[in-house]
Amino acid sequence: MKRRHFLSLIGGGTIVAVSAATGVIATRKTQTALLPWNAAGTQYSDPRKRALSWAILAPNPHNRQPWMVDLSEPDQATLYVDTSRMLPHTDPFNRQITIGLGCFIEMARLAASQDGIRITAQLFPNGSDAAALDGRPVAILKFGGTTPKDPLFAYALNRRSHKVPFDTSKAVAPDTLHTVLDAAVQTQVNGSVLPRHVQALRTLTHEALRIEVETPRTYVESVDLFRIGAKAVDANPDGIDFTGPVFELLGAAGMMEREALLDTSSASYKEGMKAIFANTDTAMGHLWQVTPANTRHDQITAGRDWLRINLAATSQGLAIQPLSQALQEYPEMKDIYEDVQTQFAPDGGTVQMLARIGYAASIAPSPRWPLEAKLI
């Protein structure tokens, strides 16, 4: 007992033996998965690559990083979607993936503006399909002309999607919310920090999350993308990462295996559910984004403004997390989806994004593939 003791993990009281070896395991950190955050804008003489090294840091659904770029034409970057990185069950029409591509385009534009270079985007030059994205170009980005620096770019390295509980003792001021809403330039974005609205949306988003988790195919889609522990994250720096001492120990002890997470009677599953519901249930405000229609162009535009909203939230010290479950277009979510559309787009249009805001402790950035892995 002088050399060995025990540690209780996660509120369920799971006990693992802790020794010098497990102490080393607990301190594991990723070696390569976060390097793109350090390298952004620093390694390339080509202004296109400089901009794209920032663009790969953009938010995107389930961290799938679905972008591929062709640089074979001078002063141009042709953006494609990697069709192997879709979410067919939770995002059957690739709407969320398209929004992520819009975030990528806007981050590239902001980064290029720091060099005084203007980017213009020709969207879907060969057309698109409303049912699914395909191998045709998503956008041709032309680099040319001059433009002033966009001040939102200053917050690019600190932007996060906060998948942690928020501080319920700290209210969000209405003026702070409005500063975030004002960052959108092409879409309609509204929000509320009124307690009665917050509680109603906590309930709605909790229920939407429950439906996603209790629908086997949609839950499995997420679990299949879990990267548990630093080694797994370095090997596949996409998907949903779980790193840090607790996850390293649970993974090493075999207590966070996919089989256990899929077993609804297991302690891993039950404690996991408590953790994710703690997120929806600690929202201190919400915002939602509406476009006039639901075309591919609308979805790209939503993504471009969604990035701006994220950066504006960061500028105000706010934490922000998308709560996309209520907007997913599969049969089990139909009633909640229609409720959200009726509430927040009563005059028509489509609610593209719904998110919670509040205050939270700082977190590490999400892992990324290096730019070279995304170049055709």
Side-chain angles (χ1 to χ4, degrees), residues 45-365:
S45 59
D46 184 339
R48 297 174 302 169
K49 287 187 177 181
R50 279 202 301 278
L52 295 174
S53 71
W54 287 99
I56 61 172
L57 308 182
N60 61 101
H62 273 25
N63 196 28
R64 294 302 283 143
Q65 302 167 53
W67 34 72
M68 295 297 294
V69 184
D70 180 358
L71 296 178
S72 59
E73 295 293 329
D75 302 320
Q76 176 177 306
T78 303
L79 174 63
Y80 294 87
V81 67
D82 183 343
T83 55
S84 70
R85 293 180 172 274
M86 303 304 190
L87 301 166
H89 298 298
T90 54
D91 185 29
F93 305 113
N94 311 146
R95 181 187 63 83
Q96 295 178 71
I97 290 287
T98 307
I99 291 173
L101 294 167
C103 294
F104 180 94
I105 291 170
E106 184 66 9
M107 184 71 92
R109 189 196 71 78
L110 292 175
S113 80
Q114 305 309 295
D115 288 335
I117 298 173
R118 183 169 180 256
I119 289 181
T120 55
Q122 182 185 0
L123 301 180
F124 301 101
N126 296 338
S128 62
D129 187 338
L133 293 172
D134 52 36
R136 288 173 287 183
V138 172
I140 296 175
L141 306 181
K142 295 281 192 179
F143 288 68
T146 60
T147 191
K149 294 181 179 181
D150 192 311
L152 281 177
F153 180 77
Y155 305 98
L157 280 180
N158 295 322
R159 183 207 63 77
R160 305 284 187 269
S161 294
H162 285 77
K163 305 176 186 70
V164 294
F166 289 172
D167 183 349
T168 55
S169 70
K170 191 171 183 182
V172 177
D175 287 349
T176 302
L177 171 64
H178 288 302
T179 297
V180 176
L181 302 181
D182 288 345
V185 295
Q186 300 182 80
T187 58
Q188 177 186 344
V189 185
N190 294 306
S192 178
V193 292
L194 294 177
R196 68 178 186 277
H197 295 157
V198 170
Q199 187 54 54
L201 278 170
R202 283 180 180 177
T203 301
L204 183 149
T205 54
H206 180 115
E207 176 64 7
L209 184 55
R210 183 194 65 78
I211 291 171
E212 182 187 272
V213 170
E214 293 183 5
T215 301
R217 69 184 186 284
T218 57
Y219 180 52
V220 168
E221 185 169 80
S222 292
V223 173
D224 283 347
L225 294 172
F226 284 4
R227 316 298 189 212
I228 303 165
K231 287 186 176 181
V233 171
D234 277 337
N236 286 290
D238 56 27
I240 304 167
D241 65 294
F242 293 90
T243 56
V246 169
F247 296 114
E248 296 296 336
L249 288 172
L250 289 176
M255 288 184 282
M256 199 170 174
E257 300 292 337
R258 283 179 172 79
E259 292 76 10
L261 293 167
L262 291 170
D263 178 2
T264 58
S265 66
S266 72
S268 297
Y269 176 89
K270 292 175 181 177
E271 294 303 321
M273 293 308 98
K274 289 180 184 178
I276 62 173
F277 287 134
N279 294 344
T280 58
D281 299 350
T282 57
M284 296 304 289
H286 297 85
L287 55 83
W288 49 92
Q289 181 187 41
V290 180
T291 54
N294 194 27
T295 66
R296 292 294 181 202
H297 283 67
D298 285 310
Q299 293 160 12
I300 290 287
T301 299
R304 296 185 69 164
D305 266 357
W306 180 246
L307 176 73
R308 298 181 64 80
I309 292 163
N310 275 236
L311 295 175
T314 305
S315 77
Q316 299 300 304
L318 277 179
I320 186 168
Q321 182 195 12
L323 299 174
S324 299
Q325 293 81 14
L327 304 177
Q328 291 170 351
E329 300 141 297
Y330 55 91
E332 293 84 350
M333 198 66 72
K334 181 175 182 291
D335 289 346
I336 286 185
Y337 177 89
E338 291 180 348
D339 183 15
V340 171
Q341 301 297 328
T342 299
Q343 283 193 60
F344 301 128
D347 300 322
T350 301
V351 181
Q352 298 287 359
M353 294 297 294
L354 173 65
R356 67 181 181 122
I357 55 173
Y359 294 94
S362 61
I363 60 172

